[in-house]
Coordinates of all heavy atoms in Angstrom, one line a residue:
M1 N 1.1 0.8 14.4 CA 0.3 1.4 13.4 C 1.2 1.9 12.2 O 2.3 2.3 12.5 CB -0.5 2.7 13.9 CG -1.3 3.3 12.9 SD -2.0 4.9 13.2 CE -2.5 4.9 14.9
V2 N 0.7 1.7 11.0 CA 1.4 2.1 9.9 C 0.6 3.1 9.1 O -0.6 2.8 8.8 CB 1.8 0.9 9.0 CG1 2.4 1.3 7.7 CG2 2.7 -0.1 9.7
N3 N 1.1 4.2 8.8 CA 0.4 5.2 8.0 C 1.1 5.3 6.6 O 2.3 5.3 6.5 CB 0.5 6.6 8.6 CG -0.3 6.7 9.9 OD1 -1.4 6.2 10.0 ND2 0.3 7.3 10.9
I4 N 0.2 5.3 5.6 CA 0.7 5.4 4.2 C 0.0 6.5 3.5 O -1.2 6.6 3.5 CB 0.5 4.1 3.4 CG1 1.2 2.9 4.1 CG2 0.9 4.2 2.0 CD1 0.9 1.6 3.5
T5 N 0.8 7.5 3.0 CA 0.2 8.6 2.3 C 0.7 8.6 0.8 O 1.9 8.5 0.6 CB 0.6 9.9 3.0 OG1 0.2 9.9 4.3 CG2 0.0 11.1 2.3
L6 N -0.3 8.6 -0.1 CA 0.1 8.7 -1.5 C -0.4 10.0 -2.0 O -1.5 10.4 -1.8 CB -0.6 7.5 -2.3 CG -0.3 6.1 -1.8 CD1 -1.1 5.1 -2.6 CD2 1.2 5.8 -2.0
Q7 N 0.4 10.6 -2.8 CA 0.1 11.9 -3.4 C 0.4 11.9 -4.8 O 1.5 11.6 -5.2 CB 0.9 13.0 -2.6 CG 0.3 14.4 -2.7 CD 1.0 15.3 -1.7 OE1 1.8 15.0 -1.0 NE2 0.5 16.5 -1.7
H8 N -0.5 12.4 -5.6 CA -0.3 12.4 -7.1 C -0.8 13.7 -7.7 O -1.6 14.4 -7.1 CB -1.1 11.2 -7.7 CG -0.6 9.9 -7.3 ND1 0.5 9.3 -7.9 CD2 -1.0 9.0 -6.3 CE1 0.8 8.1 -7.3 NE2 -0.1 8.0 -6.3
D9 N -0.3 14.0 -8.9 CA -0.6 15.2 -9.6 C -2.1 15.2 -10.1 O -2.7 16.3 -10.2 CB 0.3 15.5 -10.7 CG 1.7 15.8 -10.2 OD1 1.9 16.3 -9.0 OD2 2.7 15.4 -10.9
S10 N -2.6 14.0 -10.4 CA -3.9 14.0 -11.0 C -4.6 12.7 -10.6 O -4.0 11.7 -10.3 CB -3.9 14.1 -12.5 OG -3.3 12.9 -13.1
Y11 N -6.0 12.8 -10.7 CA -6.8 11.6 -10.5 C -6.5 10.5 -11.5 O -6.5 9.4 -11.2 CB -8.3 12.0 -10.5 CG -9.2 10.9 -10.1 CD1 -9.4 10.5 -8.8 CD2 -9.9 10.3 -11.1 CE1 -10.2 9.5 -8.5 CE2 -10.8 9.2 -10.8 CZ -10.9 8.9 -9.5 OH -11.8 7.8 -9.2
E12 N -6.2 11.0 -12.7 CA -5.9 10.0 -13.8 C -4.7 9.2 -13.4 O -4.6 8.0 -13.8 CB -5.7 10.7 -15.1 CG -7.0 11.3 -15.7 CD -7.4 12.6 -15.1 OE1 -6.6 13.3 -14.4 OE2 -8.6 12.9 -15.2
D13 N -3.7 9.8 -12.8 CA -2.5 9.0 -12.4 C -2.8 7.9 -11.4 O -2.3 6.8 -11.5 CB -1.5 10.0 -11.7 CG -0.8 10.9 -12.6 OD1 -0.9 10.8 -13.9 OD2 -0.2 11.9 -12.2
I14 N -3.7 8.2 -10.5 CA -4.2 7.2 -9.5 C -4.9 6.1 -10.2 O -4.7 4.9 -10.0 CB -5.1 7.9 -8.4 CG1 -4.2 8.9 -7.6 CG2 -5.7 6.8 -7.5 CD1 -5.1 9.7 -6.7
E15 N -5.8 6.4 -11.1 CA -6.5 5.4 -11.9 C -5.6 4.5 -12.7 O -5.8 3.3 -12.8 CB -7.5 6.1 -12.8 CG -8.7 6.7 -12.2 CD -9.7 7.3 -13.1 OE1 -9.3 7.9 -14.2 OE2 -10.9 7.2 -12.9
T16 N -4.6 5.1 -13.2 CA -3.6 4.3 -14.0 C -2.8 3.3 -13.1 O -2.7 2.2 -13.4 CB -2.6 5.2 -14.7 OG1 -3.3 6.1 -15.6 CG2 -1.5 4.5 -15.5
M17 N -2.4 3.8 -11.9 CA -1.7 2.9 -11.0 C -2.6 1.8 -10.6 O -2.2 0.6 -10.5 CB -1.3 3.7 -9.8 CG -0.1 4.6 -10.0 SD 0.4 5.5 -8.5 CE 0.8 4.1 -7.5
I18 N -3.9 2.0 -10.3 CA -4.8 1.0 -9.9 C -5.0 0.0 -11.0 O -5.0 -1.2 -10.8 CB -6.2 1.6 -9.4 CG1 -6.0 2.4 -8.1 CG2 -7.3 0.6 -9.3 CD1 -7.1 3.2 -7.7
A19 N -5.2 0.5 -12.2 CA -5.3 -0.4 -13.4 C -4.1 -1.3 -13.6 O -4.2 -2.4 -14.1 CB -5.6 0.4 -14.6
M20 N -2.9 -0.8 -13.2 CA -1.7 -1.6 -13.4 C -1.5 -2.6 -12.2 O -0.5 -3.3 -12.2 CB -0.5 -0.6 -13.5 CG -0.5 0.2 -14.7 SD 0.7 1.5 -14.7 CE 2.2 0.5 -14.7
G21 N -2.5 -2.7 -11.3 CA -2.3 -3.7 -10.2 C -1.8 -3.2 -8.9 O -1.5 -3.9 -8.0
F22 N -1.7 -1.9 -8.8 CA -1.2 -1.3 -7.5 C -2.0 -1.7 -6.3 O -1.4 -2.1 -5.3 CB -1.2 0.2 -7.6 CG -0.8 0.9 -6.3 CD1 0.6 1.0 -6.0 CD2 -1.7 1.4 -5.4 CE1 1.0 1.6 -4.8 CE2 -1.3 2.0 -4.3 CZ 0.0 2.1 -4.0
K23 N -3.3 -1.7 -6.4 CA -4.1 -2.1 -5.2 C -3.8 -3.5 -4.8 O -3.7 -3.7 -3.6 CB -5.6 -1.9 -5.6 CG -6.6 -2.2 -4.5 CD -8.0 -2.0 -4.9 CE -9.0 -2.5 -3.9 NZ -10.4 -2.3 -4.4
E24 N -3.8 -4.4 -5.7 CA -3.5 -5.8 -5.3 C -2.1 -6.0 -4.7 O -1.9 -6.7 -3.8 CB -3.7 -6.7 -6.6 CG -5.1 -6.8 -7.0 CD -5.6 -5.7 -7.9 OE1 -4.8 -4.8 -8.2 OE2 -6.8 -5.7 -8.3
G25 N -1.1 -5.3 -5.4 CA 0.2 -5.4 -4.9 C 0.4 -4.8 -3.5 O 1.0 -5.4 -2.6
L26 N -0.2 -3.7 -3.2 CA -0.2 -3.1 -1.9 C -0.9 -3.9 -0.9 O -0.4 -4.1 0.2 CB -0.8 -1.7 -1.9 CG -0.7 -0.9 -0.6 CD1 0.7 -0.7 -0.1 CD2 -1.5 0.4 -0.7
T27 N -2.0 -4.5 -1.2 CA -2.7 -5.4 -0.3 C -1.8 -6.6 0.1 O -1.8 -7.0 1.2 CB -4.0 -5.9 -1.0 OG1 -4.8 -4.8 -1.2 CG2 -4.8 -6.9 -0.1
M28 N -1.1 -7.2 -0.9 CA -0.2 -8.3 -0.6 C 0.9 -7.9 0.3 O 1.2 -8.6 1.3 CB 0.3 -8.9 -1.9 CG -0.7 -9.7 -2.7 SD -0.1 -10.3 -4.3 CE 1.7 -10.4 -4.2
C29 N 1.5 -6.7 0.1 CA 2.6 -6.2 0.9 C 2.1 -6.0 2.4 O 2.8 -6.3 3.3 CB 3.1 -4.9 0.4 SG 4.1 -5.1 -1.1
L30 N 0.9 -5.4 2.5 CA 0.4 -5.1 3.8 C 0.0 -6.4 4.6 O 0.2 -6.5 5.8 CB -0.8 -4.2 3.8 CG -0.5 -2.8 3.3 CD1 -1.8 -2.0 3.2 CD2 0.4 -2.1 4.2
Q31 N -0.4 -7.5 3.9 CA -0.7 -8.7 4.5 C 0.6 -9.4 5.0 O 0.7 -9.9 6.1 CB -1.4 -9.7 3.5 CG -2.8 -9.3 3.3 CD -3.5 -10.1 2.2 OE1 -2.8 -10.8 1.4 NE2 -4.8 -10.1 2.1
N32 N 1.7 -9.2 4.2 CA 3.0 -9.7 4.6 C 3.5 -8.9 5.8 O 4.1 -9.5 6.8 CB 4.0 -9.6 3.5 CG 3.7 -10.6 2.4 OD1 3.1 -11.6 2.6 ND2 4.3 -10.3 1.2
L33 N 3.3 -7.7 5.9 CA 3.7 -6.8 7.0 C 2.9 -7.2 8.3 O 3.5 -7.3 9.3 CB 3.4 -5.3 6.7 CG 3.9 -4.3 7.7 CD1 5.4 -4.4 7.8 CD2 3.5 -2.9 7.2
D34 N 1.6 -7.6 8.1 CA 0.8 -8.0 9.3 C 1.4 -9.3 9.9 O 1.4 -9.5 11.1 CB -0.6 -8.3 8.8 CG -1.5 -7.1 8.7 OD1 -1.1 -6.0 9.2 OD2 -2.5 -7.2 8.1
E35 N 2.0 -10.1 9.0 CA 2.6 -11.4 9.5 C 4.0 -11.1 10.1 O 4.4 -11.8 11.1 CB 2.7 -12.4 8.4 CG 1.4 -12.9 7.9 CD 1.5 -13.7 6.6 OE1 2.7 -14.0 6.2 OE2 0.5 -14.0 6.0
L36 N 4.7 -10.1 9.6 CA 6.1 -9.9 10.0 C 6.1 -9.1 11.4 O 6.9 -9.4 12.2 CB 6.8 -9.1 9.0 CG 8.2 -8.5 9.4 CD1 9.2 -9.7 9.6 CD2 8.7 -7.6 8.3
L37 N 5.3 -8.1 11.5 CA 5.4 -7.2 12.7 C 5.3 -8.0 14.0 O 6.1 -7.7 14.9 CB 4.3 -6.1 12.6 CG 4.6 -5.1 11.5 CD1 3.5 -4.0 11.5 CD2 5.9 -4.4 11.7
P38 N 4.4 -8.9 14.2 CA 4.4 -9.6 15.5 C 5.6 -10.4 15.8 O 5.9 -10.7 17.0 CB 3.2 -10.5 15.4 CG 2.3 -10.0 14.3 CD 3.3 -9.3 13.3
T39 N 6.4 -10.7 14.8 CA 7.6 -11.5 15.0 C 8.8 -10.7 15.5 O 9.8 -11.2 15.9 CB 8.0 -12.3 13.8 OG1 8.5 -11.4 12.7 CG2 6.9 -13.2 13.3
L40 N 8.7 -9.4 15.3 CA 9.8 -8.5 15.7 C 9.8 -8.1 17.2 O 8.7 -8.0 17.7 CB 9.7 -7.2 14.9 CG 9.8 -7.4 13.3 CD1 9.6 -6.0 12.7 CD2 11.1 -8.0 12.9
K41 N 11.0 -8.0 17.7 CA 11.0 -7.7 19.2 C 10.9 -6.2 19.3 O 11.3 -5.4 18.4 CB 12.4 -8.1 19.7 CG 12.6 -9.6 19.8 CD 13.9 -9.9 20.5 CE 14.1 -11.4 20.6 NZ 15.3 -11.7 21.3
K42 N 10.3 -5.8 20.4 CA 10.1 -4.4 20.7 C 11.3 -3.8 21.2 O 12.1 -4.3 21.9 CB 8.9 -4.1 21.7 CG 7.6 -4.5 21.0 CD 6.5 -4.2 22.0 CE 5.2 -4.5 21.4 NZ 4.1 -4.2 22.2

């Protein structure tokens, strides 16, 4: 399990990050992580 916590000073900061493509970028990273994790040894 991976937990990610984002904390910002204002709602506007979050809206700005989303508008700049943060959601898409994070989604791509998490998809790559989904592919990587099963290949790692415990």
Side-chain angles (χ1 to χ4, degrees):
M1 178 188 328
V2 174
N3 292 316
I4 298 172
T5 303
L6 302 174
Q7 201 168 359
H8 295 277
D9 294 329
S10 69
Y11 185 76
E12 290 79 20
D13 289 347
I14 296 169
E15 287 182 324
T16 300
M17 287 182 61
I18 291 170
M20 293 172 62
F22 175 80
K23 181 179 175 184
E24 292 82 2
L26 181 61
T27 299
M28 287 176 24
C29 289
L30 292 177
Q31 287 172 344
N32 290 340
L33 188 60
D34 282 344
E35 295 172 9
L36 173 66
L37 290 177
T39 67
L40 302 176
K41 292 184 179 182
K42 292 184 180 182

